[in-house]
Each structure stands twice: as structure tokens, then as C-alpha cells.
Amino acid sequence: MIEQLDQLYQDALTTLETAASTAVLEAWYRDTLGRKGSVQLLTRQVGGLSPEERPAFGKRVNEVKEALQQAYDGRAEHLKLAEIEAAIARDTLDVTLPGRSTTHGNLHVATKTLREIYKIWADMGFQVFRSRDVETDEYNFELLNIPQHHPARDMWDTFHTLTPGVILRTHTSPGQIHAMRTYAPEAIRVILPGMCYRYEQITARSEIQFHQVEGLAVGKNITFADLKGTLTSFARRMFGEQRKVRFRANYFPFTEPSAEMDVECILCNGNGCNVCKHSGWLEILGCGMVHPNVFRNGGYDPEEYSGYAFGMGPERIAMLKYGIEDIRYFWGNDLRFLEQF
Ligand SMILES: [Zn+2]
């Protein structure tokens, strides 16, 4: 039995030397020195020995156990160091590899267009005047020369609130009255940007919400020529120095006379394409001289002061500029669209 024990000892040592991972090592320990391991199993056979043989066998078992335990500890230490070294080698930073780029967010195309418009008007001496999205019927219509039952109200389909007379503004024009009631007439060179809301069927061409940038300039002796000059300058800064513009007569209740401004098509340079419907022109804003009634409602004397107002749609401008065919993309939150700008 002592020979059997010695053979087991030798075999166990050989196997231990080849244990190449902590997992294999633990399995070796379980099979050899564990409670149901081979050494333990052999020890239980001590009952089959004669009383004289037992002490020598017991002594040898203890020696073998101790030697194997030592061999195991040594091997475990060795493997642990090897694994740490391997981990260090694996995690070494290779500074010559290309880095991972981080994903950057970017501005919404409507915000970009708005900022472009703000910058141009700021360069021309206009400051931003903001007013609220929720308005009264009085500010949104009546003070802008659109009384109750006026047929022009049909131009704006309105979102009403549960509070009578309180609506979502259908245009940024009520800001004109707020600005006039806030500033002295000589100080008015403002643009009034903001979201507007209309109760409309949502289609590729119309949305229930969209931005507008309104503008207002007031002073003594401001004429229609000032309006034309300023808006032409804006169009050239926005769409290019050589860009041609034209004004067409129109009707708005809060300006008189009123006009719409077209720019030479920015996609085909006036040669005719699908976007300009082969006319060579794109309508980009409405404008006119402030109506005397609006001046009176703002607290200014129309006999003393004159001025012009205009309004444009940044989303419409962005659609023309980038060839966006469907206005629903703007508020659809589709990254495939938004990431293109
Ligand atoms: Zn065109």
C-alpha cells in the first residue's frame, strides 16, 4: 500500500506540473487532496492493513499530504503571477492605435437657420424681442387690425384654449404690439422670433407648429424704400451677394401697403426647376408699412411715426435651401434626417 501511495504521489506531482490555469489547479486539488480525493480514499483503506503496518503507512500518508500541499501552494503562486503578467500584457495601452471618436450632437436644422437669420439682422442693428406662445385674442387679432368677424380671420386657423379669449398665437405679429408698448418709437429695430401654431391638417406642406421671424422698424420718415432696401440687403446676406429680389403687391390686415418678396430661385439660379415651379422665383417673406391702426394700438402716433414690418418662415427657408421636400421631417425626431445637417 505504501508503494501505491508513492505511485499516487508521483502521478499527482506530474499532473500538478502541467496545470496551466487556476481552474485546472482547483480541479486537481479537489481530485487529490479534497475530502473525496484520491489520497483520502487511499487513507481509508488503512483498515485493511495489519496493526504493525499501520503506523508507517499513517506517517507516510501525512508526509505525502504535506508535500502535495506544498507543491500545490507553489504551483498556485506561480500561476497567479503568470496570470497577472498576462493581464498586464493584454491591457497594455497601444498609443499608436487610432482613437475611438465620440459622437457629437448637433443643432437642429431649424435652430441653425434661425441663428443664421438672427446673425444677419443683428449685423443690421436689430435686436431680438421675445413674447409668449400663449396669447389673447386681443393681441393676436384685434390690436393687429383684425376685429371679430373680420373675413381675414379665415387666413389663420386657430387653436383655442378652454379659457375664452386665450389662444395659441397663430403668428409672431402680436409681439409687435408688445414691443411697441415696451419701447419708445425711436428704439424699435427688433426681430420677433418664435413658434406659431395653426389648427391645420398636417401634410408635406403644412404643419400645426412652425417658427416665424417677424421684424419691425419704427421711426420718423421711414418709407417703403427703406423696407425694400433693408429686405434686399437681408436676402443678399442670406442667399448670396448677386441674388435678385422682387416685390409683389399683397394684402395683410396689419400693413398698408403690403407686399411679398421673392428671391431668385436658390436652387436653379432663376433658370426654372421643380422647386420654383419653373418660375425662377421663390417667395420667402411677407412685408409692408405698419398700418396706422396698429400704431395707435401700440401707443404710437401714426401722424408722427412710420415703419415697416415683415415676417418669414425659417423652416420654409431651410426647405428651399437644403431641398427638404416634406415639412413633417422637422418635428418627426428622426435622426436619419436630423444628422444630415
Ligand atoms: Zn428653381
Side-chain angles (χ1 to χ4, degrees):
M1 284 213 28
I2 285 186
E3 290 79 40
Q4 221 178 322
L5 182 63
D6 285 341
Q7 185 59 48
L8 192 155
Y9 174 57
Q10 288 306 328
D11 290 350
L13 276 185
T14 314
T15 320
L16 186 62
E17 286 308 312
T18 61
S21 73
T22 312
V24 175
L25 190 67
E26 292 311 313
W28 176 91
Y29 190 89
R30 199 175 57 241
D31 296 343
T32 312
L33 291 171
R35 276 180 53 227
K36 291 178 177 172
S38 49
V39 176
Q40 206 61 35
L41 289 177
L42 198 63
T43 311
R44 284 192 198 142
Q45 292 176 19
V46 74
L49 291 173
S50 65
E52 302 83 56
E53 285 172 316
R54 285 181 196 174
F57 180 72
K59 184 164 170 275
R60 185 64 190 141
V61 164
N62 285 334
E63 283 168 6
V64 165
K65 272 188 186 169
E66 204 170 309
L68 285 178
Q69 182 67 48
Q70 271 181 20
Y72 165 82
D73 291 344
R75 187 69 190 162
E77 185 67 23
H78 173 79
L79 278 180
K80 203 172 134 193
L81 285 173
E83 279 175 11
I84 289 171
E85 273 169 24
I88 290 170
R90 191 170 56 241
D91 293 343
T92 303
L93 181 64
D94 183 350
V95 293
T96 64
L97 288 174
R100 280 185 214 110
S101 59
T102 47
T103 321
H104 293 281
N106 63 4
L107 288 177
H108 192 285
V109 58
T111 310
K112 272 187 184 168
T113 312
L114 272 171
R115 290 192 178 183
E116 215 175 320
I117 294 170
Y118 295 165
K119 188 174 182 308
I120 292 170
W121 287 108
D123 287 348
M124 296 202 283
F126 284 69
Q127 69 183 94
V128 170
F129 185 94
R130 292 186 189 276
S131 61
R132 58 202 173 197
D133 290 21
V134 177
E135 268 299 352
T136 59
D137 186 278
E138 186 191 17
Y139 272 90
N140 195 82
F141 294 117
E142 285 172 45
L143 296 174
L144 293 166
N145 204 31
I146 317 164
Q148 293 281 355
H149 313 300
H150 191 287
R153 285 206 179 200
D154 291 345
M155 288 165 74
W156 298 277
D157 297 304
T158 310
F159 276 115
H160 296 269
T161 69
L162 293 175
T163 311
V166 177
I167 60 169
L168 294 183
R169 67 176 169 200
T170 60
H171 49 182
T172 45
S173 308
Q176 289 189 30
I177 302 290
H178 290 294
M180 286 187 212
R181 291 184 174 183
T182 306
Y183 295 136
E186 290 80 6
I188 298 273
R189 295 282 186 283
V190 290
I191 53 167
L192 311 110
M195 191 65 89
C196 304
Y197 307 87
R198 296 209 188 150
Y199 182 60
E200 283 187 40
Q201 178 89 30
I202 298 174
T203 68
R205 292 278 136 204
S206 68
E207 251 288 6
I208 58 168
Q209 63 171 70
F210 53 89
H211 285 103
Q212 249 185 16
V213 179
E214 189 106 355
L216 177 66
V218 182
K220 289 179 178 170
N221 306 317
I222 289 188
T223 67
F224 200 83
D226 294 314
L227 175 154
K228 286 176 76 176
T230 312
L231 289 177
T232 302
S233 177
F234 165 78
R236 292 192 172 147
R237 289 168 193 239
M238 187 83 194
F239 301 109
E241 261 325 292
Q242 306 302 317
R243 194 64 50 187
K244 290 194 188 89
V245 300
R246 70 177 185 186
F247 290 83
R248 286 178 292 104
N250 204 320
Y251 168 76
F252 300 112
F254 30 81
T255 46
E256 181 60 36
S258 305
E260 277 185 328
M261 186 175 85
D262 297 341
V263 294
E264 189 183 43
C265 180
I266 53 183
L267 298 167
C268 64
N269 288 322
N271 293 320
C273 67
N274 282 336
V275 175
C276 61
K277 298 191 182 75
H278 301 283
S279 70
W281 294 96
L282 299 169
E283 179 245 312
I284 60 152
L285 58 83
C287 55
M289 301 306 288
V290 179
H291 196 285
N293 285 346
V294 175
F295 270 143
R296 275 183 211 106
N297 293 333
Y300 294 174
D301 180 0
E303 299 301 323
E304 195 178 353
Y305 296 101
S306 58
Y308 58 83
F310 55 86
M312 63 188 83
E315 284 90 25
R316 178 173 160 75
I317 289 174
M319 287 173 84
L320 297 171
K321 201 166 166 179
Y322 299 111
I324 301 165
E325 285 170 350
D326 194 323
I327 198 170
R328 290 171 292 194
Y329 287 135
F330 281 91
W331 318 123
N333 284 338
D334 188 335
L335 279 178
R336 290 170 300 177
F337 169 73
L338 297 174
E339 281 173 350
Q340 292 177 43
F341 304 95

